[in-house]
Each structure stands twice: as C-alpha cells, then as structure tokens.
Amino acid sequence: MADEQAEQGVDRRQFLKVLGVTGAGTAALSGCSTDRVAKLVPYMVQSEQQVPGIPTVYASTCTECATGCGVHVVTREARAIKLEGNPEHPVNAGTLCSRGQAGLQALYNPDRIGAPMARNAAGGFDEITWEDAIARLAARLGQANGRIGAINGYGGGTFTSLLEGMIGGLGGTTVAWTAFAREAESRANQRTFGRDDLPAYDFGAAQYIVSFGADFLETWGATLAQTRGFAASHGFHDGTMAKHVYVGPRMNLTGANADEWLDVAAGTEVYVALLLARAAAVAKGSVLGGDLARWTPEEVSARTGIDATRLATIADEFAAAGPSLAVAGGIAAQHRGAIDLCHAVNLANAAAGNLGTTVKFGAGTTPTGGYGEVQALFARMAAGELEVAFVHEANPLYALPKSGGYAEAFAKVPFKVSTANVIDETATACDLILPNLHALERWDDLMVRAGVRSLLQPVMMPVRPGMHTGDVLLQVAKATGGATAANFAEATFEARLQAAWRVDAPADFGDFWRAALARGGVYAEALVSAPAVVAGAAGFEPAAPAFDGDAEFTFLPYPSIM
C-alpha cells in the first residue's frame, strides 16, 4: 500500500504531516528523501461578507439534467460544499434529486482541463493560451464561408441566443440536441394539436394515471415535481386514492409503484392508448368517438395478448375518472412507433377532457431538438459540407449509436472544437478544446419552462483556470469583425446577460437584478391553454411494430438516475 501511495506522489509519512499542519501561515513540507514540496495556502484575504466558519448561501440553477431545478449553494470560506433545493423554485420546490446532490463532483473533478488544448502533429494535445485559442477559432470561422455546424446541449437562454446568433451570422447552422430529447412527444403534439411545445403535467390533480413507458418517477420529465404530485394523488386522502396503471414491456421504478401493470410487447402500447381514447370519447360524448370506434377491447386484445375483460375494465375506469392523466415518452418510446404512441396518448387526454387541467400547454417547455436534426447535421459532415464543427455541453460521439457512423463523419470535418472541461469521447476527436467554466463558476441563465427564467451566478472562484464559453464567443466575434462584431459588442458575457434581462425589467434595474439573484430567477405564472385536436387526427392507423434482428427477442436499453 505504501509503495502504491509513493508512486502516486503521496506516501503515508507525507500524508500524516499534511494532516498535522496547524497555524495561520503557509506550511512547507518535504520528505527526507524527496525534493517535492507540498504547500497549504491559508485563507488570508477574505471578503467582508465571508466569516470563517459561517456558511454563505447563494441561489443558482442545477444543470445536471435538462430540468433546471433551482438550488441553494452552501459555501464555506468561498468554496461550495453542499447543494440543496431552492424552496421558491416552482419546478422542484426545495427538493433535489441524487444527481443534483452529486453536482459538486463535477465541480471538483481532478480530471478537469485547466487550459485550452490544441492537437499537435503527433496526434496528442498541447496546452495553449486563451489568446492563441481564440485567435485560432476566429481564423477558422472567418475562413469557413458559412460551412459551420454547431451542436448545443445547453437549454434556452442568453447563451443559446448568443451561440445561435453568432453561428447564424456567419452563415452556419446550430442544432439543439440532448441525449434523451423528447422528440417523439413534440412531433406527436404537432400532429395532434398543431403545436410542438411540451406541456406540463399535474400529477397531483389526477384521479387516474396511466403511463405508457414514461418513467416519470426516475428518468422522464421533471421527476421531482412529478414525484411530488404523484405522492399527493396516489396517497390515501379522505377515503380516496388515485389509481396508477403502467403499460410497458419492462418493469422500472414507475412500474414498480403502479397498482396494475400491463406487460405488453414493445411497440403494442399504442393500441391500449387508442382503447382508452375510444372509451373516454364514448363516455364524454366527444366528436373523436367516430374515428376511434374500431378500437374495441376485443380488437386491442388480439393485438396485445392482454385479456379483453381486463382491458375493458381499465378503459372504463379511465373514462369515468375525472380528471385523469395519460403520459408517454422516455426511452420506452424510442422506437419506430414512438410518434404514433404519443399521438394516441394525446387523443386519450383530449377525449377525457384533461387538456387545461392535468395537461397544461403553455406552461411547459419548448423542444430542444432531437435525433433527426443531429442526424441531418452529421450527414452534412459525412458529405464534406462543413469546415468547422462546434460542440457545446454535449458528447454526441458517446451518446449516438456507433452503427450510425457518426465518428467517421465527424472526422471528415477539418476543424472541430469542443467546450468540454474533461477529455470525453467527442473532445478526444476534436482539434481544439476550450474548457467551459462549471455552472457554479459562471454567469448564465436558463429558460426552464414558460414563465420560469432561472439565473446562474459564480458562487466561488474557478477551481481550474477556465473561461466562460460566452466570453470566448464575444472575443471571437470581435476578432472576426464585420456585422458579427457589431451585433456582439459587449465586453463580457455578464454584461450581455444583464442587457438581456434589462429588456423586460422595471425602471430600477439594480433592485430588480439583486432580487432576482437572491431568489434564483424570475418565476411568473404561465398562461395555460387547451388546444383543439386537428381535424382528422383521430382517424389514423398506427404502424405495426417493426424491429431489426431476431423477432424472438427485443433488446430494451434504458437510462438510470444512477
């Protein structure tokens, strides 16, 4: 054990010496057989707002997933030590999931990159200065003649507007993409209601909940808000309790908490959704009933293998409950019939009268792009149509399937840039790495959902010498000159952020800004709407389930909060 520690640079004797250091001055320690010197730097110059031993709490936003929960960051001696949920934030209301609680691991990750990295002639990376890195990026963008493609994994807000505006001003294209984008849901909403935004779901108000593969308690949607609502409706109150039915081929956390599980074959969930839509239309006298008439319990039983009597009971219960809620999405809906499934679930909610009650359009989020858009961008890379590829807050070469040939397509781009602050799969394949600051080290904002605009603020000095990608883009804009420089003239991203927030701010911006920082953002009520179903939307025939390979087995990959 001692030999192993010595190889890693710290032996047992040195370790015990470091532990035993006391006093206010800088201590220099050296072993008797080494010239290596370890130094402990004291907290000598402190802010007036910092009192040793007394924690300071800042409001910010969690970026560990796309939900954007509000957090309170506890700091001691100007170092973040704990994350907790922000009680004022409407999404998580003071709670925080295990992934959010572990957000400090990325902040203090010893493998974080501390300087820009450029690929050398030998195929490795060399550290370069920020001035050199910005000059290289500006030169390549200026020579690209619009042949630029950007992949953005960050949500909506001031930075995304900056990135899209700058890349678009140079003639390029920006694609918003995350690994688990809810593309099937947004496309189904467009087909059903003529709008592609995602609604907010009120699980707490539902008297009957049916999930078609959506693991709403662990990995799908705003899990904290959904768990809180589910606990309220599914708990026993005043002699009543909402019933929860799970429809899907795999038991997950949501399925394990269901009162009943319909173990249907993958791809056949859509028929059960159409059955619910038919039953609700008949019970409520909806005009959709005529187009849905053929989806009887017997017809759906023949297609799913579930007993017709059992199906009829669930359908009647769903139709009689008010209000009810049906949801679909997540990894369980990532197959060729995913859009049909989400479309059928939309019809069930519309027929049951759930729109505007448990399904709240206008209060949800806008889609972030999906597999189709990023696939089209990589097709352009494969065809040699791009000179520069810029990847921000995303790792597509890890998350996209290898069978798609994305790594080969990416390699055909002459100049590739990543803003990752660790060497991930995509960064390894790039020519320039510009490490972004961690979310707790930078100024930023995030449009979580309609009416909810959250702020990020630096709660501590950067652990590693990094640079906000927003500041990088502003300096690149100045270097490229022309209209790009004129449109992005702010000296820092902090100044651009405040300028964006001034647009809708009251006259006394200073008080408004300080209040928003203290609260963690601006949380306004969103206007809830109940869209009408597009004419003829109910009269469709879902495609039969089709999977590649041996039909005897179906491979179902799934995400986990762990």
Side-chain angles (χ1 to χ4, degrees), residues 276-547:
L276 299 188
R278 172 189 176 274
V282 172
K284 309 289 186 181
S286 171
V287 295
L288 302 176
D291 290 333
L292 298 168
R294 68 184 184 279
W295 301 111
T296 63
E298 292 73 22
E299 174 68 19
V300 174
S301 176
R303 301 198 185 206
T304 62
I306 305 296
D307 180 70
T309 303
R310 186 183 179 194
L311 288 170
T313 300
I314 292 175
D316 291 341
E317 291 174 347
F318 177 81
S324 56
L325 175 61
V327 293
I331 199 68
Q334 301 301 312
H335 51 70
R336 292 187 178 94
I339 299 176
D340 285 345
L341 170 60
C342 296
H343 177 52
V345 169
N346 286 342
L347 295 176
N349 282 318
N354 297 332
L355 303 181
T357 54
T358 56
V359 182
K360 300 180 178 181
F361 277 92
T365 60
T366 55
T368 59
Y371 183 64
E373 294 182 22
V374 78
Q375 190 178 34
L377 185 64
F378 272 92
R380 293 182 59 197
M381 296 181 191
E385 298 178 6
L386 297 184
E387 290 292 325
V388 178
F390 187 92
V391 183
H392 178 71
E393 296 284 339
N395 188 8
L397 297 194
Y398 170 76
L400 293 173
K402 291 184 179 180
S403 59
Y406 297 101
E408 294 79 5
F410 196 66
K412 293 184 178 181
V413 181
F415 192 70
K416 303 169 288 294
V417 184
S418 170
T419 63
N421 55 23
V422 295
I423 301 291
D424 59 25
E425 287 78 3
T426 302
T428 301
C430 286
D431 302 289
L432 182 64
I433 305 175
L434 306 173
N436 191 20
L437 293 177
H438 187 271
L440 299 179
E441 300 171 336
R442 69 177 191 258
W443 290 103
D444 224 324
D445 62 354
L446 192 62
M447 288 296 297
V448 176
R449 66 185 190 194
V452 181
R453 192 176 184 184
S454 297
L455 274 169
L456 288 74
Q457 60 176 314
V459 303
M460 55 182 280
M461 295 295 291
V463 175
R464 294 293 182 97
M467 189 171 182
H468 191 332
T469 306
D471 289 318
V472 172
L473 293 181
L474 290 174
Q475 292 196 27
V476 168
K478 293 180 178 62
T480 54
T484 304
N487 294 333
F488 307 101
E490 291 85 2
T492 64
F493 183 79
E494 180 185 356
R496 187 171 183 86
L497 178 68
Q498 291 194 23
W501 278 66
R502 285 180 187 274
V503 175
D504 298 319
D508 191 345
F509 178 75
D511 288 344
F512 166 79
W513 180 250
R514 285 188 292 272
L517 284 176
R519 193 181 184 193
V522 173
Y523 316 135
E525 291 292 332
L527 181 63
V528 176
S529 61
V533 175
V534 174
F540 82 103
E541 176 69 32
F547 297 92

